[in-house]
Amino acid sequence: MLTIYSSPLQGFTDYRFRNAFQRFFGGIDQYIAPYIRVNGKLEIKPANHRDILPENNRTVDLIPQIITKDADEFLFVAKYVQKIGYTELNWNLGCPYPMIAGRGMGSGLLSMPGKIDEILTRVCAETDIHVSVKMRLGYESSKEIFHVLPVLERYRLANITIHPRIGKQLYRGEVDLKAFEECLRQSSHKIIYNGDITSIGSFREMKERFPTINHWMIGRGLIADPFLPAMIKEDNPVHPENRYEVFNSFHEALSSSYEETLSGQKHLLMKMYSFWEYFIQSFPHSPKGLKKIKKARNLSLYRAVVKQIINNETDNSALHIA
Ligand SMILES: Cc1cc2nc3c(=O)[nH]c(=O)nc-3n(C[C@H](O)[C@H](O)[C@H](O)COP(=O)(O)O)c2cc1C
């Protein structure tokens, strides 16, 4: 059966987003939470705690994620998530940002298969939590993964998600599908493909290229077009007729959920602007929409711009149909 995972996007896919997404769009089998980083202190930040607390995630199936290069940290977080009811912890071996990778975490750990081995040995010996891994091809070179996969073969993992870029690329350039294909040959784990699925078309191309893959993870694409996962699930290239009505209700639910927590209009406007950097891709009839959102100085101006952007789109699709 085809399964779709929601990629963790720090700053975007927190529990408020996940619940609103699930309510209006669905199509997601499992959500991976943005990573928990404890930074040597062995304590969980309140924001991380709130984000994965089961009572804040009643509507979704959630897997927490950790970023670390330390077995004690891993074990500490594993114990904590188990205590609140989770049975799986995803290990981030993909984060490309120099502040993280430069410290040997995320994709910065991929050049150290021995260290990955050491950590997994202790984790598997000292806890019964299921471990899954989310990784890139490497940091400096896409050859790094081919030293890591044999290590991962030695452990029982729930799955491995591969985003076929290297850390140095950040999000630039192409995904390396040849290298991904080679990974499929070299791993017996359940593999999830992740990267640049932004439309039914790009999903179908990928599915054709990798017919044995049944597990897909989508990040930025599902913010840009929140209908995408459900459309993929239904193999339906057509958006629902009430697309913009549904989007409008989702947007209202999301922004009022953030309004409850963010202090002051400025913070809320900044938060919503960061979403609009993706949302705007669903609104081709408002080429200046993002600029207008950035310029909106208060909530009522912001709401007026959003209304205009949504109206532009509904008016134009109505014209199209007529
Ligand atoms: C703003 C942003 C935040 C991200 N945060 C995380 C994270 O917390 N954990 C993680 O494993 N990946 C994170 N990623 C990587 C995504 O989960 C995903 O692997 C990447 O965006 C490629 O998938 P996509 O092309 O479908 O977006 C982040 C990416 C972006 C752009």
Side-chain angles (χ1 to χ4, degrees):
M1 224 214 9
L2 182 139
T3 46
I4 301 186
Y5 298 82
S6 156
S7 233
L9 299 171
Q10 196 79 241
F12 293 91
T13 61
D14 60 11
Y15 75 95
R16 293 178 187 277
F17 175 86
R18 294 190 297 264
N19 287 318
F21 193 94
Q22 191 66 9
R23 179 170 157 208
F24 291 98
F25 306 109
I28 298 291
D29 296 284
Q30 223 168 36
Y31 291 76
I32 315 297
Y35 64 72
I36 296 172
R37 183 180 170 200
V38 292
N39 233 352
K41 281 203 200 100
L42 298 195
E43 59 189 39
I44 304 291
K45 292 187 197 99
N48 287 138
H49 182 63
R50 261 195 311 277
D51 189 44
I52 65 165
L53 209 58
E55 67 201 55
N56 289 335
N57 290 282
R58 285 212 185 95
T59 67
V60 298
D61 184 357
L62 185 71
I63 305 292
Q65 187 187 60
I66 181 174
I67 196 162
T68 187
K69 59 172 177 183
D70 182 273
D72 289 321
E73 285 186 2
F74 202 123
L75 289 163
F76 169 76
V77 174
K79 206 166 170 188
Y80 155 72
V81 299
Q82 276 186 318
K83 198 169 150 206
I84 60 174
Y86 293 95
T87 54
E88 181 181 330
L89 183 58
N90 184 267
W91 190 12
N92 180 323
L93 292 177
C95 183
Y97 294 110
M99 287 279 283
I100 296 282
R103 295 185 174 141
M105 286 180 284
S107 64
L109 200 53
L110 292 171
S111 60
M112 298 176 238
K115 181 114 195 159
I116 293 173
D117 198 11
E118 247 172 59
I119 294 171
L120 283 175
T121 301
R122 275 201 59 205
V123 166
C124 292
E126 294 176 42
T127 163
D128 58 358
I129 199 151
H130 299 294
V131 176
S132 53
V133 169
K134 181 167 176 290
M135 67 198 294
R136 289 196 176 219
L137 298 172
Y139 182 75
E140 286 282 344
S141 145
S142 55
K143 294 197 174 69
E144 290 168 28
I145 196 168
F146 298 109
H147 298 280
V148 177
L149 289 177
V151 170
L152 300 184
E153 281 299 290
R154 297 203 280 272
Y155 298 93
R156 267 186 61 191
L157 301 175
N159 58 58
I160 302 176
T161 301
I162 300 178
H163 173 54
R165 282 193 170 90
I166 56 169
K168 246 176 40 179
Q169 270 181 283
L170 297 172
Y171 294 94
R172 293 186 290 262
E174 299 290 303
V175 281
D176 185 345
L177 298 182
K178 267 209 158 126
F180 179 75
E181 201 170 357
E182 188 52 35
C183 293
L184 290 182
R185 273 195 284 273
Q186 297 201 15
S187 179
S188 60
H189 286 297
K190 168 176 159 185
I191 301 284
I192 301 169
Y193 174 86
N194 167 237
D196 297 7
I197 296 175
T198 53
S199 64
I200 285 276
S202 59
F203 170 75
R204 284 182 176 165
E205 266 174 40
M206 222 49 107
K207 180 81 192 137
E208 222 160 87
R209 169 106 193 231
F210 302 111
T212 59
I213 294 274
N214 252 331
H215 312 290
W216 308 87
M217 188 180 280
I218 309 180
R220 295 161 300 168
L222 66 72
I223 303 186
D225 182 357
F227 292 93
L228 185 58
M231 286 165 65
I232 290 177
K233 274 284 174 78
E234 292 158 14
D235 194 26
N236 174 8
V238 183
H239 284 86
E241 244 174 64
N242 61 349
R243 170 181 185 178
Y244 294 105
E245 225 173 275
V246 176
F247 179 86
N248 188 38
S249 307
F250 162 71
H251 173 270
E252 271 176 21
L254 187 68
S255 52
S256 26
S257 179
Y258 282 122
E259 206 169 352
E260 281 170 16
T261 150
L262 295 173
S263 58
Q265 295 194 14
K266 271 248 153 60
H267 284 124
L268 178 61
L269 292 173
M270 273 164 57
K271 185 83 183 169
M272 295 316 295
Y273 174 76
S274 64
F275 278 107
W276 275 100
E277 287 187 294
Y278 292 100
F279 290 158
I280 201 68
Q281 293 171 46
S282 286
F283 297 89
H285 293 99
S286 297
K288 294 195 177 136
L290 192 60
K291 252 193 196 153
K292 287 186 180 162
I293 287 192
K294 194 168 196 178
K295 276 196 189 149
R297 276 168 289 108
N298 59 48
L299 266 179
S300 60
L301 286 169
Y302 169 77
R303 289 201 179 103
V305 177
V306 170
K307 192 168 175 204
Q308 192 192 356
I309 293 175
I310 293 178
N311 284 347
N312 277 351
E313 222 51 47
T314 25
D315 293 351
N316 275 286
S317 37
L319 277 178
H320 232 68
I321 291 163

